[in-house]
């Protein structure tokens, strides 16, 4: 059975939840460092705030939403629409909600939006994130560029 997925705009009281979502995206990486839990927590909080500041200053008109799965907060999605493209800035789903089709459903919705607007849908993916690359390729995205010292792929979907 497919989950019910809804979006609601981020509000100020979501910061702790968003920090936990961000931390969930870095679990594998944090498992490799010999830091205390307090050091990891402090680092992740700093990185979360830096990312949020970067996105809000670079993309002031972007849409930042909480992803709700069957009414429960499950992640976030950050999207900006430009003259010639829709850019998926970030998508993150908590580990407990992964592998349930949530990411694919969100991508399909963005693809429909891009199709209706006659725009490309683009997203930057770290080259080491093989699971995400496979997800985007299954959704019809192709790698169109490597950048940032070849650490990231720019992936694009232009429709059927």
């Amino acid at each position: 059975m497919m989950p019910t997925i809804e979006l609601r705009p981020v509000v100020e009281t979501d910061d702790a939840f968003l920090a936990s979502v961000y931390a969930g995206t870095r679990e594998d990486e944090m498992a490799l460092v010999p830091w205390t839990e307090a050091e990891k927590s402090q680092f992740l909080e700093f990185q979360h705030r830096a990312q949020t500041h970067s996105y809000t200053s670079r993309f002031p008109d972007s849409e930042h939403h909480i992803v709700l799965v069957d009414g429960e907060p499950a992640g976030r999605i950050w999207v900006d629409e430009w003259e010639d493209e829709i850019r998926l800035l970030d998508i993150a789903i908590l580990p407990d909600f992964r592998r349930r089709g949530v990411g694919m459903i969100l991508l399909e919705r963005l693809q429909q939006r891009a199709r209706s607007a006659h725009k490309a849908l683009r997203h930057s993916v770290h080259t080491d994130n093989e699971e995400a690359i496979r997800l985007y390729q299954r959704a019809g995205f192709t790698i169109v560029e490597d950048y940032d010292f070849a650490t990231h792929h720019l992936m694009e979907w232009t429709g059927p």
Side-chain angles (χ1 to χ4, degrees), residues 18 70 97:
L18 292 169
D70 296 328
F97 294 90

Side-chain angles (χ1 to χ4, degrees), residues 53-115:
H53 175 75
S54 174
Y55 285 177
T56 55
S57 62
R58 290 174 44 214
F59 309 107
D61 297 325
S62 60
E63 305 162 15
H64 192 194
H65 288 94
I66 299 293
V67 177
L68 303 170
V69 175
D70 296 328
E72 284 187 68
R76 72 159 183 190
I77 186 167
W78 210 321
V79 178
D80 202 15
E81 188 163 344
W82 304 341
E83 186 176 320
D84 62 339
E85 74 180 78
I86 295 174
R87 179 65 64 106
L88 174 56
L89 302 173
D90 194 37
I91 184 172
I93 306 298
L94 288 171
D96 289 347
F97 294 90
R98 293 180 191 155
R99 293 177 185 74
R100 292 173 47 186
V102 175
M104 189 62 78
I105 291 168
L106 292 169
L107 287 177
E108 288 169 354
R109 289 178 183 177
L110 284 174
Q111 288 171 325
Q112 179 57 45
R113 178 175 166 181
R115 183 181 298 113

Side-chain angles (χ1 to χ4, degrees), residues 111-154:
Q111 288 171 325
Q112 179 57 45
R113 178 175 166 181
R115 183 181 298 113
S116 295
H118 306 288
K119 296 180 180 185
L121 174 59
R122 295 186 180 107
H123 182 48
S124 171
V125 182
H126 197 283
T127 56
D128 289 343
N129 194 343
E130 295 174 12
E131 189 174 347
I133 292 167
R134 283 192 301 273
L135 171 70
Y136 293 111
Q137 288 174 329
R138 280 194 315 271
F141 284 73
T142 58
I143 296 170
V144 294
E145 180 183 341
D146 287 332
Y147 66 98
D148 202 12
F149 303 103
T151 62
H152 288 79
H153 297 308
L154 179 62

